[in-house]
């Protein structure tokens, strides 16, 4: 069934519209969101047809336009710069959405107590094509059906009981696409070093990763089951797996990658609160 926003109502203000917020907006527009309901406060935002674009928050405030939905999509360390100006336009009808890494629901509630609800969302870039992952948690008098309807067109949606694991999920799914892209890039580079042309190596790497993840998702099996279907004792696949699995080095490397990204999220939270 097509996930549509053609019946979505309520004005939306995007405070910041960089890569991630822009990907979400592009998908929402493709899903039928009326661009006349959207305003953007971001002097660097990519123009979107039919959307009112304001270079600065002061311009939007001067226009005296309300918004039932306000999404924070700038850098988390910029929260202090916009909080004071944004506070007067938040009302008991406003859902405050945030995709700011490291900024907790408690932080949002402290900064913007007048909002009807605070919704912390962790999307990823594949939302642009409706294949993303959006984990979210809420605080306050949230319209759960409306929030779910807004996130559904972006891809897989995971509702969390609270935001206690959000820093890890930021690293795991939010940063995850970049890690996967780097793995594909490195896989292609390895093929090129061993004799493939750069074009063939990248094309084959993309197809191999894409086909493998699609098969895994379609099969409903654990990854190890499919590993066993590809590998045979003493064969070529097992020879490569022996290198990957030696000393648990791959798992250790990925754990360190996620830990570094998670910890940086916590540092950004301290900066956003003015503690850093």
């Amino acid at each position: 069934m097509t996930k549509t926003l053609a019946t979505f109502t309520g004005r939306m203000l995007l405070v910041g519209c960089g890569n991630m917020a822009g990907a979400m907006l592009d998908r929402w527009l493709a899903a039928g969101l009326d661009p006349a309901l959207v305003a953007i406060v971001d002097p660097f935002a990519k123009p979107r047809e039919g959307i009112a674009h304001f270079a600065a928050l002061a311009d939007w405030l001067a226009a005296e336009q309300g918004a039932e939905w306000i999404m924070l999509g700038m850098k988390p360390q910029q929260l202090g710069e916009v909080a004071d100006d944004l506070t007067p336009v938040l009302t008991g009808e406003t859902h405050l959405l945030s995709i700011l890494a490291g900024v907790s629901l408690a932080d949002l509630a402290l900064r913007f107590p007048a909002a009807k609800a605070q919704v912390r969302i962790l999307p990823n870039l594949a939302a642009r094509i409706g294949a993303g992952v959006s984990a979210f948690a809420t605080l306050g008098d949230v319209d759960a059906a409306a929030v779910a309807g807004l996130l559904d067109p972006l891809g897989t949606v995971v509702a969390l009981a609270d935001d206690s694991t959000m820093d890890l999920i930021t690293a795991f799914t939010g940063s995850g696409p970049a890690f996967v892209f780097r793995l594909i890039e490195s896989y292609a580079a390895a093929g090129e070093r061993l004799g493939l042309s750069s074009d063939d190596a990248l094309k084959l790497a993309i197809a191999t990763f894409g086909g493998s993840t699609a098969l895994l998702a379609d099969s409903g099996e654990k990854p190890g089951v499919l590993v066993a279907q590809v590998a045979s004792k003493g064969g070529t696949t097992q020879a490569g797996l022996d290198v990957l699995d030696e000393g648990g080095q791959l798992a250790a490397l990925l754990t360190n990658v996620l830990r570094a990204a998670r910890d940086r999220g916590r540092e950004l939270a301290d900066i956003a609160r003015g503690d850093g």
Side-chain angles (χ1 to χ4, degrees), residues 16-85:
C17 194
N19 290 331
M20 189 62 253
M24 296 169 72
L25 177 57
D26 286 342
R27 180 57 187 165
W28 285 334
L29 295 174
L33 179 65
D34 183 354
L37 296 175
V38 182
I40 301 172
V41 172
D42 188 335
F44 307 105
K46 174 185 175 182
R48 268 84 173 175
E49 186 175 353
I51 291 178
H53 175 237
F54 298 84
L57 183 57
D59 296 329
W60 186 81
L61 294 172
E64 297 183 352
Q65 298 187 58
E68 291 81 14
W69 301 83
I70 296 178
M71 188 169 84
L72 305 178
M74 66 286 180
K75 297 182 185 304
Q77 54 267 42
Q78 295 175 317
L79 180 59
E81 298 176 24
V82 304
D84 290 342
D85 287 336

Side-chain angles (χ1 to χ4, degrees), residues 112-157:
F112 307 104
K116 177 180 182 178
Q118 291 83 20
V119 183
R120 187 178 176 191
I121 307 167
L122 288 177
N124 65 18
L125 199 59
R128 180 181 293 150
I129 59 170
V133 178
S134 298
F136 77 99
T138 65
L139 189 65
D141 183 18
V142 64
D143 185 338
V147 172
L150 192 61
L151 297 180
D152 277 347
L154 305 181
T156 299
V157 180

